[in-house]
Amino acid sequence: MKSYINILEVRDLCVQAGGKNLLDHLNLTIPDGEVHALLGQNGSGKTSLMMTIMGFSGYTVTQGQILYKGQDITEFDICERARLGIAIAQQRPSTIDGVKLRSVLLYILRNEENPEERLVKLAQTANMEGFLDRSVNDGLSGGEIKRAELLQLLAMSPVFSMMDEPDSGVDIESLALVGGLINKLFSPDEKRKAKRNSGLIITHNGKILELFNIDKAHVMHNGSIGCSGNPAIILDTISKYGYEECVRCIGRQ
Ligand SMILES: Nc1ncnc2c1ncn2[C@@H]1O[C@H](COP(=O)(O)OP(=O)(O)O)[C@@H](O)[C@H]1O
Ligand SMILES: [Mg+2]
């Protein structure tokens, strides 16, 4: 029986890396089944938040908790968090020389009924058939890297996905494709019928958020969430007045 309301709850989180305070008493709640957007100026701490929730070493939690499905996972390592259904698409993932994208996907899909068939279908959806036998991310353009990351997320179909600027470096024509893949990721699937997967999408650019339903947007400022609310209103304010005005408004609160 499900005993939680929120898929993610970050409470009073303070994080340091390299002797620097990156997150400062940050609070964030994402109810189960909701997809939220995380906006904010460069250097405000968006990537650090995602990496800390995923459990990357190098980000030291000095205060606060991360709860996933109501369970405190603050001390869990990255593998445990992945097994619980948390996954990310990085903005600039590393190249993995000698490991084919096909091998990674087949490993992810190893427990499916027909992994080969499913792999081909997913690769077609992401327009990535031509990249399956190349090393992961080797020589890929910005847009291709985003599609490769999303393809792996789609294969995993995680309960909670975070993606770091899936629209950066993506040209206008490919934006619709990337938007479609994200939409698919958050649509109810065969395994969890009538249930929307949850997520957090980090972006600078409101365009991608027009392509699917976002439940709430948050603006990060100096390592914490400065403002949360209706995505359309927040995006409209940012597009009209820029982040500078957003930051001034947060400062006045
Ligand atoms: N490992 C690290 N060591 C020291 N400083 C870091 C580290 N990672 C990020 N930072 C700094 O933390 C701040 C927030 O970075 P980041 O989370 O990447 O912001 P954003 O994704 O919003 O652009 C930046 O000033 C960045 O230089
Ligand atoms: Mg970033």
Side-chain angles (χ1 to χ4, degrees):
M1 267 286 283
K2 178 178 145 172
S3 59
Y4 57 90
I5 297 165
N6 300 318
I7 194 79
L8 183 82
E9 220 183 313
V10 176
R11 293 184 185 158
D12 196 35
L13 191 69
C14 297
V15 168
Q16 288 184 345
K20 201 179 159 194
N21 292 326
L22 306 187
L23 301 182
D24 183 26
H25 300 280
L26 184 143
N27 291 290
L28 172 69
T29 298
I30 303 181
D32 190 25
E34 291 197 4
V35 179
H36 289 196
L38 186 65
L39 305 149
Q41 283 181 313
N42 274 329
S44 56
K46 304 181 296 299
T47 299
S48 304
L49 175 61
M50 181 185 87
M51 301 300 259
T52 304
I53 295 170
M54 189 69 242
F56 274 76
S57 60
Y59 296 86
T60 308
V61 175
T62 55
Q63 192 173 316
Q65 280 115 35
I66 302 166
L67 278 78
Y68 173 73
K69 292 186 175 178
Q71 182 183 19
D72 189 341
I73 60 160
T74 319
E75 302 295 326
F76 285 22
D77 69 29
I78 190 167
C79 300
E80 289 173 283
R81 298 182 200 206
R83 274 187 220 106
L84 290 173
I86 306 176
I88 59 169
Q90 284 184 267
Q91 189 182 2
R92 281 182 285 269
S94 313
T95 298
I96 313 175
D97 263 336
V99 178
K100 289 178 183 175
L101 180 57
R102 181 188 298 278
S103 312
V104 172
L105 291 168
L106 279 178
Y107 182 76
I108 296 171
L109 298 167
R110 66 195 179 284
N111 294 325
E112 303 265 327
E113 233 165 64
N114 208 334
E116 294 278 356
E117 202 176 289
R118 182 131 165 77
L119 183 153
V120 170
K121 256 198 197 142
L122 284 172
Q124 280 169 350
T125 314
N127 197 12
M128 290 296 288
E129 304 104 296
F131 299 87
L132 292 173
D133 292 308
R134 277 167 60 174
S135 292
V136 176
N137 297 328
D138 186 22
L140 266 57
S141 72
E144 288 159 358
I145 283 186
K146 304 294 163 184
R147 276 165 24 226
E149 288 285 282
L150 286 170
L151 173 57
Q152 290 164 71
L153 278 188
L154 276 171
M156 287 185 250
S157 185
V159 178
F160 181 69
S161 345
M162 294 176 281
M163 50 203 80
D164 199 355
E165 306 205 16
D167 45 358
S168 71
V170 177
D171 57 51
I172 294 284
E173 295 90 59
S174 306
L175 201 62
L177 174 59
V178 167
L181 295 177
I182 296 174
N183 215 352
K184 192 170 163 57
L185 186 69
F186 292 125
S187 300
D189 64 17
E190 305 95 51
K191 282 189 247 162
R192 289 184 284 270
K193 282 197 174 66
K195 171 123 173 39
R196 192 178 184 221
N197 287 329
S198 312
L200 183 65
I201 301 174
I202 299 172
T203 179
H204 259 299
N205 177 346
K207 274 267 160 271
I208 188 102
L209 301 179
E210 290 168 5
L211 301 174
F212 39 83
N213 183 42
I214 294 284
D215 298 286
K216 198 169 184 177
H218 308 272
V219 182
M220 254 190 110
H221 176 57
N222 282 350
S224 63
I225 305 281
C227 171
S228 300
N230 180 304
I233 296 174
I234 288 182
L235 281 170
D236 188 51
T237 308
I238 292 169
S239 66
K240 275 193 192 136
Y241 308 109
Y243 277 113
E244 290 300 327
E245 181 49 34
C246 228
V247 166
R248 267 194 289 277
C249 172
I250 290 168
R252 284 196 295 271
Q253 283 167 20

mmCIF file of all heavy atoms in Angstrom, residues 175-193:
data_model
loop_
_atom_site.group_PDB
_atom_site.id
_atom_site.type_symbol
_atom_site.label_atom_id
_atom_site.label_comp_id
_atom_site.label_asym_id
_atom_site.label_seq_id
_atom_site.Cartn_x
_atom_site.Cartn_y
_atom_site.Cartn_z
ATOM 1 N N LEU A 175 13.912 20.582 -31.115
ATOM 2 C CA LEU A 175 13.285 20.852 -29.815
ATOM 3 C C LEU A 175 11.972 20.085 -29.668
ATOM 4 O O LEU A 175 11.676 19.540 -28.600
ATOM 5 C CB LEU A 175 13.043 22.362 -29.672
ATOM 6 C CG LEU A 175 12.872 22.870 -28.246
ATOM 7 C CD1 LEU A 175 14.121 22.621 -27.416
ATOM 8 C CD2 LEU A 175 12.519 24.352 -28.230
ATOM 9 N N ALA A 176 11.215 20.003 -30.763
ATOM 10 C CA ALA A 176 9.930 19.289 -30.716
ATOM 11 C C ALA A 176 10.168 17.805 -30.445
ATOM 12 O O ALA A 176 9.414 17.177 -29.693
ATOM 13 C CB ALA A 176 9.185 19.471 -32.032
ATOM 14 N N LEU A 177 11.242 17.251 -31.050
ATOM 15 C CA LEU A 177 11.565 15.836 -30.827
ATOM 16 C C LEU A 177 11.928 15.604 -29.353
ATOM 17 O O LEU A 177 11.422 14.672 -28.711
ATOM 18 C CB LEU A 177 12.712 15.409 -31.757
ATOM 19 C CG LEU A 177 13.282 14.006 -31.555
ATOM 20 C CD1 LEU A 177 12.227 12.935 -31.715
ATOM 21 C CD2 LEU A 177 14.439 13.745 -32.525
ATOM 22 N N VAL A 178 12.803 16.477 -28.830
ATOM 23 C CA VAL A 178 13.207 16.368 -27.423
ATOM 24 C C VAL A 178 11.978 16.515 -26.513
ATOM 25 O O VAL A 178 11.787 15.738 -25.566
ATOM 26 C CB VAL A 178 14.292 17.439 -27.090
ATOM 27 C CG1 VAL A 178 14.493 17.572 -25.590
ATOM 28 C CG2 VAL A 178 15.601 17.065 -27.760
ATOM 29 N N GLY A 179 11.114 17.492 -26.837
ATOM 30 C CA GLY A 179 9.880 17.695 -26.066
ATOM 31 C C GLY A 179 8.999 16.449 -26.091
ATOM 32 O O GLY A 179 8.431 16.047 -25.074
ATOM 33 N N GLY A 180 8.915 15.799 -27.265
ATOM 34 C CA GLY A 180 8.107 14.593 -27.422
ATOM 35 C C GLY A 180 8.647 13.447 -26.568
ATOM 36 O O GLY A 180 7.888 12.688 -25.964
ATOM 37 N N LEU A 181 9.987 13.345 -26.502
ATOM 38 C CA LEU A 181 10.611 12.277 -25.699
ATOM 39 C C LEU A 181 10.344 12.507 -24.215
ATOM 40 O O LEU A 181 10.041 11.569 -23.473
ATOM 41 C CB LEU A 181 12.125 12.228 -25.952
ATOM 42 C CG LEU A 181 12.563 11.837 -27.367
ATOM 43 C CD1 LEU A 181 14.085 11.893 -27.489
ATOM 44 C CD2 LEU A 181 12.075 10.439 -27.727
ATOM 45 N N ILE A 182 10.417 13.776 -23.800
ATOM 46 C CA ILE A 182 10.153 14.089 -22.383
ATOM 47 C C ILE A 182 8.688 13.786 -22.064
ATOM 48 O O ILE A 182 8.363 13.210 -21.028
ATOM 49 C CB ILE A 182 10.513 15.558 -22.067
ATOM 50 C CG1 ILE A 182 12.016 15.780 -22.254
ATOM 51 C CG2 ILE A 182 10.091 15.931 -20.642
ATOM 52 C CD1 ILE A 182 12.482 17.219 -22.116
ATOM 53 N N ASN A 183 7.826 14.153 -22.981
ATOM 54 C CA ASN A 183 6.393 13.887 -22.816
ATOM 55 C C ASN A 183 6.130 12.392 -22.646
ATOM 56 O O ASN A 183 5.355 11.969 -21.790
ATOM 57 C CB ASN A 183 5.656 14.412 -24.053
ATOM 58 C CG ASN A 183 4.310 14.966 -23.686
ATOM 59 O OD1 ASN A 183 3.867 14.829 -22.548
ATOM 60 N ND2 ASN A 183 3.653 15.566 -24.645
ATOM 61 N N LYS A 184 6.819 11.614 -23.471
ATOM 62 C CA LYS A 184 6.666 10.145 -23.420
ATOM 63 C C LYS A 184 7.145 9.611 -22.062
ATOM 64 O O LYS A 184 6.506 8.749 -21.466
ATOM 65 C CB LYS A 184 7.484 9.532 -24.566
ATOM 66 C CG LYS A 184 7.219 8.067 -24.823
ATOM 67 C CD LYS A 184 7.892 7.667 -26.129
ATOM 68 C CE LYS A 184 8.047 6.171 -26.265
ATOM 69 N NZ LYS A 184 6.809 5.415 -26.175
ATOM 70 N N LEU A 185 8.251 10.178 -21.600
ATOM 71 C CA LEU A 185 8.828 9.758 -20.322
ATOM 72 C C LEU A 185 7.841 9.967 -19.173
ATOM 73 O O LEU A 185 7.774 9.171 -18.241
ATOM 74 C CB LEU A 185 10.098 10.576 -20.079
ATOM 75 C CG LEU A 185 10.949 10.224 -18.876
ATOM 76 C CD1 LEU A 185 11.617 8.877 -19.070
ATOM 77 C CD2 LEU A 185 12.008 11.293 -18.657
ATOM 78 N N PHE A 186 7.075 11.033 -19.254
ATOM 79 C CA PHE A 186 6.158 11.354 -18.173
ATOM 80 C C PHE A 186 4.724 10.887 -18.433
ATOM 81 O O PHE A 186 3.805 11.253 -17.710
ATOM 82 C CB PHE A 186 6.177 12.860 -17.878
ATOM 83 C CG PHE A 186 7.480 13.322 -17.298
ATOM 84 C CD1 PHE A 186 8.193 14.346 -17.884
ATOM 85 C CD2 PHE A 186 7.992 12.692 -16.173
ATOM 86 C CE1 PHE A 186 9.400 14.754 -17.352
ATOM 87 C CE2 PHE A 186 9.208 13.095 -15.634
ATOM 88 C CZ PHE A 186 9.914 14.130 -16.225
ATOM 89 N N SER A 187 4.556 10.094 -19.487
ATOM 90 C CA SER A 187 3.218 9.569 -19.755
ATOM 91 C C SER A 187 3.061 8.243 -19.025
ATOM 92 O O SER A 187 4.043 7.540 -18.814
ATOM 93 C CB SER A 187 3.040 9.322 -21.246
ATOM 94 O OG SER A 187 3.206 10.529 -21.920
ATOM 95 N N PRO A 188 1.854 7.901 -18.673
ATOM 96 C CA PRO A 188 1.646 6.593 -18.040
ATOM 97 C C PRO A 188 2.151 5.496 -18.978
ATOM 98 O O PRO A 188 1.977 5.599 -20.188
ATOM 99 C CB PRO A 188 0.124 6.514 -17.903
ATOM 100 C CG PRO A 188 -0.335 7.915 -17.958
ATOM 101 C CD PRO A 188 0.610 8.639 -18.845
ATOM 102 N N ASP A 189 2.842 4.491 -18.433
ATOM 103 C CA ASP A 189 3.345 3.420 -19.296
ATOM 104 C C ASP A 189 2.624 2.101 -19.013
ATOM 105 O O ASP A 189 1.746 2.042 -18.166
ATOM 106 C CB ASP A 189 4.870 3.265 -19.146
ATOM 107 C CG ASP A 189 5.265 2.845 -17.749
ATOM 108 O OD1 ASP A 189 4.396 2.366 -16.996
ATOM 109 O OD2 ASP A 189 6.444 2.988 -17.409
ATOM 110 N N GLU A 190 3.039 1.069 -19.733
ATOM 111 C CA GLU A 190 2.357 -0.224 -19.594
ATOM 112 C C GLU A 190 2.533 -0.787 -18.185
ATOM 113 O O GLU A 190 1.675 -1.488 -17.677
ATOM 114 C CB GLU A 190 2.897 -1.260 -20.588
ATOM 115 C CG GLU A 190 2.862 -0.857 -22.043
ATOM 116 C CD GLU A 190 4.170 -0.255 -22.494
ATOM 117 O OE1 GLU A 190 5.223 -0.855 -22.263
ATOM 118 O OE2 GLU A 190 4.128 0.854 -23.080
ATOM 119 N N LYS A 191 3.721 -0.474 -17.593
ATOM 120 C CA LYS A 191 4.015 -1.052 -16.285
ATOM 121 C C LYS A 191 3.214 -0.376 -15.175
ATOM 122 O O LYS A 191 2.822 -0.987 -14.211
ATOM 123 C CB LYS A 191 5.507 -0.894 -15.977
ATOM 124 C CG LYS A 191 6.359 -1.908 -16.691
ATOM 125 C CD LYS A 191 7.786 -1.840 -16.175
ATOM 126 C CE LYS A 191 8.710 -1.325 -17.258
ATOM 127 N NZ LYS A 191 9.974 -0.834 -16.768
ATOM 128 N N ARG A 192 3.048 0.937 -15.325
ATOM 129 C CA ARG A 192 2.334 1.663 -14.274
ATOM 130 C C ARG A 192 1.177 2.418 -14.908
ATOM 131 O O ARG A 192 1.228 3.625 -15.102
ATOM 132 C CB ARG A 192 3.277 2.650 -13.581
ATOM 133 C CG ARG A 192 4.314 1.986 -12.706
ATOM 134 C CD ARG A 192 5.146 3.004 -11.985
ATOM 135 N NE ARG A 192 6.113 3.621 -12.865
ATOM 136 C CZ ARG A 192 7.340 3.164 -13.059
ATOM 137 N NH1 ARG A 192 7.734 2.091 -12.424
ATOM 138 N NH2 ARG A 192 8.172 3.750 -13.873
ATOM 139 N N LYS A 193 0.159 1.678 -15.250
ATOM 140 C CA LYS A 193 -0.989 2.246 -15.966
ATOM 141 C C LYS A 193 -1.665 3.331 -15.131
ATOM 142 O O LYS A 193 -1.743 3.236 -13.921
ATOM 143 C CB LYS A 193 -2.002 1.145 -16.274
ATOM 144 C CG LYS A 193 -1.600 0.290 -17.456
ATOM 145 C CD LYS A 193 -2.801 -0.482 -17.972
ATOM 146 C CE LYS A 193 -2.485 -1.227 -19.241
ATOM 147 N NZ LYS A 193 -1.526 -2.285 -19.107
#
